[in-house]
Amino acid sequence: MKDPQNQQVKTQIVTIAANTSLLSLLESPNRFLFFTGKGGVGKTSMACAAAITLADQGKRVLLVSTDPASNLDEVLGVRLSSDPTEVPGVPGLAALNIDPAAAAQAYRERLVGPYRGKLPEALLRSMEEQLSGACTLEIAAFDEFSKLLGDPVATTGFDHVLFDTAPTGHTLRLLSLPEAWTGFITSNTSGASCLGPLAGLGSQREVYSNAVASLANRSLTALILVTRPQRTSLAEAERTSHELAALGIHNQKVILNGMFQAAGDDPAATALEQRGMEALIGAATFLGGLPVFKVSLRSNNLVGLAALRALTADAVALQSRCEQKSLPESPHSVSLVELVDGLATAGRGVVMTMGKGGVGKTTIAAAIGAELARRGFKVCLSTTDPAAHVAAAAGQIKGLVVDRIDPQVETQRYVEFVLATAGRHLDAGGWALLEEDLRSPCTKEIAVFRAFARTVAQGQDGFVVLDTAPTGHTLLLLDATESYHREIARRASDLPEEVRELLPRLRDPHFTHVLVVTLPESTPVHEAAMLQADLRRAGIEPFAWVINQSFAKTSLRDPLLLARANGELPFIREVVEVHSRRTVIVPWVMAEPVGPDGLRQLFLAPETQPPRPFTKAT
């Protein structure tokens, strides 16, 4: 039984910690500010609002996105490139996107270009092939990132540099790369690896060293963990905090985005407030150890300069009473039950949930996997997401096997496989060279990809429901299907059957059903549309779109939530009329959709959802 006094203490800690506004975060800002956190928590909005506020104070500010799926352009209303671009309406603010593809192309040309006309064409093609994989994308993008952080000349014209980082798993890898790459360069004696000739990296050693020092310098750099008052989001922030500390990055702060207080007796509003408070109480120890800054839930989309400027003032416009508008009619809309009916007809295959981080891919994957298992099918629910929350979302369900692709386990398994095959007949020198090559960060990418192909192959004997990583990482995995053979052929004697068959399986509409998951908001919808275009270019046609957590499909009376519900309608209409051939709209539900009972809510009509008892915190 819980101790009421202890619970009251925890509530007070959280309440006190959350009383500081975003504006106070910028009273004495560091030169470098990193905004990171779980996908969908509002990193871009917070980074943009902070950058605009500093520029409005007369500072010269550079805002940088390191996210492969950046949406800075849409939020700021300006077309960006890899060079600093002035933001209209904000004197002193410039922004840029680090484009991994463009950076990789420039990186390849920097290494191969000097040899054109001097070496045979066959050798040049071999060099280009070595530089064609996902690992090259990462190191090339990191090359650009390191210049901004580790080369004082690159940002000499700016007082502050703010980084809108990629979702947490990628960010942690990015932040750990300076030391990892420097160590790899130092220990490599052959001059070549899966990254190609290391001359292109060796010249960057001083910049990498400076980047490491800058990240750990408390007076120079601060890491802002953006989170929401949600259990998974807070758990991710806490895990990130510990891992950053292990990397020597201790100057951390927290932004609690989307804080909400109900107005009146709306059951949905009181349930939303209670869920947030319960999550904060559970994370009280973590939050009590760091400076915390509060941003209230908004009734509008955080796009455009006016909305972003309002964030630092924490001004919430009062909403007048209004009627809830109806959802747009569509003959292509189906319920989640009907969607599962359609998936179940095949009796086997792969279901993949894809989309921007934070839209609820894990929840939708767990709900579909649980429902298929409940109907008696053999189901494996797995994930390619490094954050891996799928087990917590699903809980214990008969007939459902929950698994995950663990990068560390798969990397070790892959290294042992390569040494046992490609290294079998090597002499001592060849063995040492192979071991050295396998120490490169590229090895992890190939190992995870191999496990991904193996998991997809299990769909021949039952259902595999895959919760995929946020968009950029997922597309890198899919892109790897074309270049995988070039990456692995020099390491292993033969190509696994599941890898040879992966792309045909993903392209088979009878075997693989891709669900594009989004929220009824501007950025998630538009990013999902870009994802769908990329999938179609790869020959993969999405089976359906799932619009998740819709207030427009929930009965409401709270003024702020009503405004949010009505604000969803243009984006729901855009999905139904423009992007999707088959659309599911999943309502926001009273209880957190975790575990068998929580997931079952998603299959019920909104009016049949059980109410939650609520007691306001004092």
Side-chain angles (χ1 to χ4, degrees), residues 104-122:
Q105 177 59 35
Y107 178 76
R108 281 192 292 269
E109 188 56 33
R110 188 168 80 240
L111 296 183
V112 179
Y115 300 100
R116 295 193 191 280
K118 300 177 182 178
L119 295 177
E121 282 297 318

Side-chain angles (χ1 to χ4, degrees), residues 266-300:
D266 183 340
T270 53
L272 178 62
E273 181 181 351
Q274 183 182 14
R275 278 169 58 175
M277 183 54 66
E278 289 172 351
L280 292 173
I281 290 173
T285 302
F286 161 59
L287 294 174
L290 293 172
V292 179
F293 304 86
K294 180 186 72 172
V295 177
S296 299
L297 182 69
R298 292 318 204 252
S299 61
N300 57 299

Side-chain angles (χ1 to χ4, degrees), residues 235-254:
E236 181 80 0
E238 184 170 4
R239 183 183 68 83
T240 302
S241 175
H242 294 322
E243 294 192 16
L244 288 169
L247 293 170
I249 303 169
H250 298 284
N251 189 15
Q252 303 174 22
K253 307 176 192 296
V254 175

Side-chain angles (χ1 to χ4, degrees), residues 40-117:
V41 295
K43 297 183 299 295
T44 299
S45 300
M46 299 302 114
C48 288
I52 291 169
T53 299
L54 290 173
D56 287 346
Q57 293 173 357
K59 306 291 180 61
R60 297 166 300 167
V61 182
L62 177 63
L63 177 59
V64 180
S65 175
T66 65
D67 194 335
S70 172
N71 62 316
L72 273 186
D73 302 57
E74 181 173 11
V75 174
L76 293 174
V78 60
R79 182 65 178 239
L80 300 177
S81 68
S82 57
D83 297 315
T85 301
E86 293 185 2
V87 178
V90 191
L93 176 60
L96 65 86
N97 285 322
I98 294 179
D99 182 341
Q105 177 59 35
Y107 178 76
R108 281 192 292 269
E109 188 56 33
R110 188 168 80 240
L111 296 183
V112 179
Y115 300 100
R116 295 193 191 280

Side-chain angles (χ1 to χ4, degrees), residues 286-322:
F286 161 59
L287 294 174
L290 293 172
V292 179
F293 304 86
K294 180 186 72 172
V295 177
S296 299
L297 182 69
R298 292 318 204 252
S299 61
N300 57 299
N301 272 299
L302 297 176
V303 175
L305 302 184
L308 293 168
R309 281 189 167 108
L311 273 178
T312 49
D314 203 34
V316 182
L318 294 176
Q319 301 296 323
S320 59
R321 289 282 175 182
C322 58

Side-chain angles (χ1 to χ4, degrees), residues 397-457:
I397 299 173
K398 183 180 179 181
L400 181 67
V401 176
V402 180
D403 194 9
R404 67 175 288 234
I405 295 173
D406 186 316
Q408 290 185 333
V409 172
E410 296 301 335
T411 300
Q412 182 60 36
R413 181 183 298 170
Y414 175 68
V415 167
E416 292 172 357
F417 166 77
V418 173
L419 290 174
T421 53
R424 185 168 44 199
H425 301 300
L426 294 178
D427 58 18
W431 179 276
L433 183 62
L434 181 60
E435 278 192 314
E436 187 175 88
D437 200 18
L438 288 169
R439 286 199 296 272
S440 87
C442 191
T443 299
K444 181 185 289 185
E445 294 291 341
I446 295 175
V448 169
F449 175 78
R450 186 186 181 95
F452 172 67
R454 192 169 59 247
T455 301
V456 168

Side-chain angles (χ1 to χ4, degrees), residues 11 13-22 25 35-36 41-42 46 224-231 233-235 237 253-260 276-277 279-281 283-284 286-288 290-298 311 314:
T11 302
I13 290 173
V14 172
T15 303
I16 292 170
N19 278 338
T20 310
S21 71
L22 181 60
L25 172 68
F35 292 78
T36 190
V41 295
M46 299 302 114
I224 316 299
L225 298 162
V226 184
T227 185
R228 288 186 180 272
Q230 300 166 349
R231 293 181 190 276
S233 180
L234 286 162
K253 307 176 192 296
V254 175
I255 291 177
L256 274 174
N257 185 27
M259 295 288 288
F260 175 73
M277 183 54 66
L280 292 173
I281 290 173
F286 161 59
L287 294 174
L290 293 172
V292 179
F293 304 86
K294 180 186 72 172
V295 177
S296 299
L297 182 69
R298 292 318 204 252
L311 273 178
D314 203 34

